[in-house]
Amino acid sequence: GAVVSQHPSRVICKSGTSVKIECRSLDFQATTMFWYRQFPKQSLMLMATSNEGSKATYEQGVEKDKFLINHASLTLSTLTVTSAHPEDSSFYICSAPRDRDWGSPLHFGNGTRLTVT
Amino acid sequence: QKEVEQNSGPLSVPEGAIASLNCTYSDRVSQSFFWYRQYSGKSPELIMSIYSNGDKEDGRFTAQLNKASQYVSLLIRDSQPSDSATYLCAVKPGNTGKLIFGQGTTLQVKP
């Protein structure tokens, strides 16, 4: 069964508004979660690493003031897309390692399809 | 040079054939390698992980790793139409915990 839950699965918003996406680890604690973005027919691009109890680490080129990440607890990370614009329309996917071993694979949420009109 | 490279395809094979998917990576210190399958509009699902040189088999899937050549591959035996998807190669560079993905190879299995 699913080990990472992501909500909502689909959202349509108007340009200039903000959208919050939630990512939960279901039966394990995740001190670290990873947020990816995927544009049509492209691969997954890592946006940021969410760290419980500390600031997120953003990849080069990702605006931290636009994509706000809050890792509120050991089972919840949220990504807020602020002042969304049509170019932010994408498939956003969170992931977490089930085990603390750095070599363990990432398990992905079902993703959030964001459409900004 | 991209960190993880795959041929985007599409790779087309007849049902029952062996599909061979290839991936190269640039970071020599990478220790963990993964293959994910992604259906259109869905999130990736883990198929295989491999950490040491050689072959690792799981059902119809075999992952192969050659760290000297910085090469990892996935073989799918007895390919089925339901295997038609995009296959993503992913590498964990060093001990960062994050995954770097290749661009994916689209596989089409024709009945």
Side-chain angles (χ1 to χ4, degrees):
Chain A
V3 298
V4 176
S5 174
Q6 187 172 343
H7 179 80
S9 59
R10 188 178 296 269
V11 59
I12 300 173
C13 71
K14 291 186 182 297
S15 185
T17 61
S18 296
V19 173
K20 179 184 282 190
I21 303 169
E22 291 188 348
C23 181
R24 295 180 184 274
S25 56
L26 293 183
D27 59 356
F28 66 100
Q29 294 181 335
T31 56
T32 302
M33 291 185 177
F34 300 92
W35 287 94
Y36 288 83
R37 178 170 55 183
Q38 186 177 36
F39 291 106
K41 299 193 183 301
Q42 294 187 26
S43 190
L44 280 76
M45 296 300 296
L46 180 65
M47 298 176 66
T49 303
S50 173
N51 304 298
E52 191 271 335
S54 64
K55 291 182 180 180
T57 305
Y58 290 82
E59 296 298 304
Q60 191 172 12
V62 177
E63 300 174 58
K64 61 181 179 182
D65 294 331
K66 180 171 182 62
F67 299 99
L68 301 180
I69 291 174
N70 183 9
H71 202 132
S73 73
L74 287 171
T75 59
L76 174 64
S77 174
T78 60
L79 168 67
T80 301
V81 183
T82 63
S83 186
H85 291 284
E87 56 265 31
D88 298 322
S89 299
S90 188
F91 191 44
Y92 292 85
I93 320 173
C94 70
S95 64
R98 185 162 191 160
D99 301 317
R100 293 184 182 274
D101 174 13
W102 281 120
S104 64
L106 296 184
H107 295 273
F108 287 84
N110 287 331
T112 298
R113 177 80 56 192
L114 171 63
T115 302
V116 184
T117 61
Chain B
Q1 181 188 4
K2 293 182 180 177
E3 291 185 76
V4 182
E5 293 206 53
Q6 295 178 255
N7 186 328
S8 60
L11 172 65
S12 183
V13 301
E15 183 175 358
I18 295 176
S20 178
L21 305 161
N22 305 313
C23 172
T24 58
Y25 60 94
S26 60
D27 187 346
R28 284 195 166 273
V29 301
S30 297
Q31 297 294 325
S32 306
F33 307 88
F34 308 91
W35 283 98
Y36 285 82
R37 177 174 61 197
Q38 186 177 28
Y39 292 110
S40 181
K42 304 295 185 182
S43 67
E45 54 181 326
L46 179 68
I47 297 177
M48 295 278 287
S49 57
I50 187 166
Y51 304 96
S52 54
N53 283 327
D55 295 0
K56 178 181 178 182
E57 186 175 320
D58 184 1
R60 295 187 295 114
F61 299 97
T62 298
Q64 300 173 317
L65 175 61
N66 184 326
K67 291 185 180 179
S69 300
Q70 295 174 238
Y71 175 90
V72 59
S73 66
L74 179 70
L75 299 178
I76 307 174
R77 289 181 299 282
D78 188 24
S79 296
Q80 302 297 309
S82 59
D83 294 327
S84 298
T86 297
Y87 289 80
L88 299 164
C89 172
V91 176
K92 277 199 180 186
N95 286 326
T96 63
K98 62 185 179 184
L99 276 182
I100 305 299
F101 285 86
Q103 64 266 42
T105 298
T106 299
L107 173 66
Q108 298 173 347
V109 181
K110 302 198 171 184

